[in-house]
Amino acid sequence: MFRTALRNVLAHKARLLMTVLAVMLGVAFVSGTLVFTDTLSQALRGQSAKSYDDVAVAVEMYPNPEEARKTPGLSEAVVGKVAELDGVTSVTARVDGFAGVPDKNGKLIGLGWANKGTNFAPGKDGKDGAYAFTTGTGPVEARQVALDKDTADKGGYKVGDTVRVATNGPVQEYTLSGVFTTEDGAVNAGGSLVLFDTPVAQKLYLKPGYFKDLTVTAPGTDADKLLDQILKVVPKAATAQTGQSLADQQAKDIESGLGAFNQMLLGFAGIALFVGVFLISNTFTMLVAQRTKELALMRAVGASRKQITRSVLAEAGLVGLVASAVGYVLGIGLAVGLRSAMAAFELKVPDGPLVLEATPVLSAFGVGILITMLAAWLPGRRAAKIPPVAAMNSVHATPNTKSLVVRNAIGAALTALGAVLIVLGAGQGGDDGRMLIAGGAFVTLIGVIVLIPFLSRPVIAVIRPFFVTAFGISGRLAGLNAVRNPRRTGATASALAIGLTLVTGLSVLGATVGTALDKATTDQIKADYMVTMADGGQGLSNDALAALEKAPVVTAVSPQQAGALKIKGDYASASGVTPGDVEKVLDLNVVNGSLASLGEGRIAVDDKTAEKRGLKVGTKVPAAYMDKQKTTLTVGAIYEQSEFVSPVLIDKKLLDAHEQQAYIGQIFVSTDGGPTDANEKALAKAMGDNPAITVLDKKDIRDEFGGQINLMLNIMYGLLGMALIIAVLGVVNTLAMSVFERQQEIGMLRAIGLDRRRVKRMVRLEAVVISVFGAVVGIGLGSFLGWAIGETMKEQIPGYALVLPWDRIGIFLILAALVGVLASLWPARSAAKLNMLSAIKAE
């Protein structure tokens, strides 16, 4: 039987090639993901371990606001005490924060969030071990800086040049003292690194005389004993770890960080393999149909049902083995490609060899062979049921009425159960609701796949009249042929339906959230501009706000300064704003009271917070600032919840009195004459043409909030494209099988006058009908899932309302039809080439 299986594999190379392609794509994604993450993980672990090779103990201090008022960091006195401990040979103390450098055109170099500045900390030999200088030296004067090599090259800077450096304060000019290479994480993440003289860095990022962290070198000393000694010297708010513990922790963090990325790619590989199951099953169903007489004859001469089934499974195993081997090799190529892609996005991967461990190999071959044999099991089982009498005629075993009734009943039950779970999840909301929806979506998808042959007749009956009207007899024949074998049509359409369910669900969700954010931007922002830091995390300084307030073109300006108030025992997020101007730059819908009361020292709260805490206009509430100073505040206004401000508004001056350092996330600005190029340039000039500060108009603001959604959707579309490629192969298989089964019919049609052009059109339209059928099912189910997931998020998205992206849905239908046309090229050509006389006599 094994020899028979091998012969059959070699006899049907073209059709089995499509199965190999389907399995190969899924296996390539699985193995490529595992190889890439193993390689990246080992490279990052190696880099991390290298960073802490000479570190005995590392100390960090990030005190809370109350502690920071007493001790903002590790003082120079503490650093000196640590240096005096037995066995300590050196102590390197650091302080860091945001620092951005512009290129020659004034544009920020790097990614913003990964742009970093720190202090140059030379030892007794005048060198800092963390940096290797290629030219020049480290900064040892107040007006000097050094740059990493990538940043210097991108900006065209050389030693001795003047460099403008932006922090969260005004831009300052420095002289470039040197250029260095480093394994610092900021640079490897695609950012930049600026080294300052230590007193300058302390003044910029913390406070003169203080550091954020330090590392201790003590060769030959017991690190654990040294750790105990250091803990007695440093403040209680500081945390200390041995270098080995820190390296181990970073290795765990790396694994955790790569985990989500790994799971996402493996998820798409799973989708591809799941879709591939239908193609594989169709392929073996086709082969079994073509070999009906051969298999029946084998039964007649003594082959048992188990032997027939094993023969089909052996074929599947051989196909899976070849597909897995090719897929694994392609996966290695994919891993190399992903590594190169990261470099293209300016995300550096540390140097290291390609890691080829046993897990990706075993996973590739295990998944590929198992999936192929699993998909071929049902066709193999059907093949075993072929009666020996079939060897004397061409009667194929057809499904009986009972089996169809049972299948439809199971499909309907699963679909109903899944739909109920989805609706329950939508009603419950939150993470628990989304978990219910995920489970319901899986059950519903399985139910629809089981039920899809039953759905094919009514859905295609709706579609068919359009083809008959447009294409006449070819369209009519195509519609009839599409429902001739509902099981095969359903299995083919399922592949497209799965892909379009996911794509449509994402599109509905993205369009809904994007529209809500766009509406919020349009409805709630009166300001002409929003000013933010380029890194997205570093706050603007009071200097930037003061500069904007003095700008001649500015008519109103208000910050969104982050803060917090303890009201009735619980902390609430608060925004420090400018009374009198906040109403001019933001359109906050006031439910009761007046925002003018902010100028009288009162607070405003949003309606959700007011309802939750039982607050009304005029209510006096006991409160406390972050510095624990207690006060009594009066509610002066209640407004509708807004995306752009916190649940509590307070005069910025009141907040400043209790904050050590203001954190201003955004500044909203209205200008004389509205948004113009001249006004935008005037605002940038007022802030010293700081490359780290971005000035966004309303369109930019909408792009800022909606850009991430669109980026995510585009990535998802690209990854799901693999599932659609497999779906195309499935349509090719179905049509090829249909043409084979209908040789006599096609020959007869040719004999009575249907020319080759119309035969081709008939096969093409049949492919389009099947593809559009799958698209309709997928779009319907995807829209339902998009609605359900959106319902779980509507409490967090003001102005949420379901939006169906009809333009994208139309594109999906057109693409589905195009998929059908492309998939039909080879089968249509084969059908048109049939010799009518040979086809009529074919059995």
Side-chain angles (χ1 to χ4, degrees), residues 154-287:
K154 290 174 186 176
Y157 294 112
K158 296 180 181 178
V159 173
D161 287 352
T162 298
V163 181
R164 300 175 71 243
V165 180
T167 56
N168 66 336
V171 178
Q172 297 188 42
E173 293 186 348
Y174 299 86
T175 299
L176 184 62
S177 65
V179 176
F180 59 88
T181 59
T182 179
E183 292 297 324
D184 190 280
V187 177
N188 285 327
S192 62
L193 182 62
V194 182
L195 297 183
F196 298 93
D197 186 33
T198 294
V200 175
Q202 289 176 327
K203 184 178 179 182
L204 285 172
Y205 299 125
L206 197 59
K207 189 177 179 180
Y210 287 91
F211 299 93
K212 285 184 180 178
D213 57 70
L214 59 86
T215 55
V216 180
T217 302
T221 303
D222 187 313
D224 292 322
K225 290 182 179 179
L226 180 60
L227 176 64
D228 293 336
Q229 295 177 31
I230 288 174
L231 286 172
K232 296 175 183 177
V233 174
V234 299
K236 291 182 180 180
T239 58
Q241 287 179 278
T242 63
Q244 185 60 51
S245 297
L246 198 56
D248 292 343
Q249 182 60 49
Q250 287 210 357
K252 289 180 182 178
D253 292 342
I254 288 166
E255 294 288 346
S256 176
L258 291 174
F261 178 71
N262 194 22
Q263 288 172 9
M264 182 185 73
L265 291 180
L266 288 176
F268 284 102
I271 292 168
L273 289 170
F274 186 54
V275 172
V277 166
F278 299 98
L279 170 56
I280 298 164
S281 181
N282 260 5
T283 301
F284 281 94
T285 298
M286 180 184 352
L287 296 176

Side-chain angles (χ1 to χ4, degrees), residues 16-200:
L16 287 171
L17 177 62
M18 289 182 282
T19 303
V20 169
L21 286 172
V23 180
M24 181 187 70
L25 288 172
V27 168
F29 232 107
V30 171
S31 58
T33 297
L34 293 175
V35 170
F36 173 71
T37 50
D38 284 346
T39 301
L40 185 59
S41 178
Q42 181 167 304
L44 291 173
R45 283 199 303 268
Q47 182 190 54
S48 175
K50 185 179 178 182
S51 301
Y52 295 102
D53 273 347
D54 299 326
V55 176
V57 177
V59 183
E60 294 180 315
M61 185 170 175
Y62 296 95
N64 61 42
E66 183 181 3
E67 293 169 335
R69 290 179 175 276
K70 301 174 184 176
T71 309
L74 300 165
S75 67
E76 291 180 348
V78 168
V79 174
K81 290 179 181 179
V82 172
E84 292 172 358
L85 294 174
D86 291 339
V88 174
T89 57
S90 67
V91 177
T92 303
R94 304 281 185 196
V95 58
D96 56 51
F98 172 79
V101 176
D103 58 20
K104 297 299 184 182
N105 297 318
K107 186 179 178 181
L108 184 69
I109 299 172
L111 301 175
W113 58 269
N115 290 349
K116 177 182 167 186
T118 188
N119 61 301
F120 177 65
K124 294 178 181 178
D125 59 356
K127 297 180 180 179
D128 189 328
Y131 313 107
F133 280 82
T134 56
T135 55
T137 60
V140 292
E141 297 179 9
R143 305 311 303 174
Q144 289 183 336
V145 293
L147 295 177
D148 68 273
K149 189 175 186 304
D150 286 347
T151 301
D153 290 343
K154 290 174 186 176
Y157 294 112
K158 296 180 181 178
V159 173
D161 287 352
T162 298
V163 181
R164 300 175 71 243
V165 180
T167 56
N168 66 336
V171 178
Q172 297 188 42
E173 293 186 348
Y174 299 86
T175 299
L176 184 62
S177 65
V179 176
F180 59 88
T181 59
T182 179
E183 292 297 324
D184 190 280
V187 177
N188 285 327
S192 62
L193 182 62
V194 182
L195 297 183
F196 298 93
D197 186 33
T198 294
V200 175

Side-chain angles (χ1 to χ4, degrees), residues 613-661:
R613 305 199 180 196
L615 303 177
K616 297 180 180 179
V617 172
T619 302
K620 295 183 181 296
V621 293
Y625 295 97
M626 289 297 292
D627 61 358
K628 300 295 180 73
Q629 186 172 332
K630 296 181 180 179
T631 186
T632 299
L633 297 171
T634 304
V635 177
I638 295 174
Y639 58 93
E640 285 187 3
Q641 187 181 31
S642 171
E643 181 76 17
F644 300 100
V645 292
S646 299
V648 179
L649 298 183
I650 187 170
D651 187 345
K652 180 187 183 307
K653 292 179 182 177
L654 289 177
L655 208 57
D656 280 344
H658 303 277
E659 297 283 347
Q660 183 179 6
Q661 186 173 1

Side-chain angles (χ1 to χ4, degrees), residues 465-481:
F466 297 101
F467 290 91
V468 175
T469 303
F471 301 103
I473 189 63
S474 296
R476 180 178 178 79
L477 290 171
L480 292 172
N481 290 332

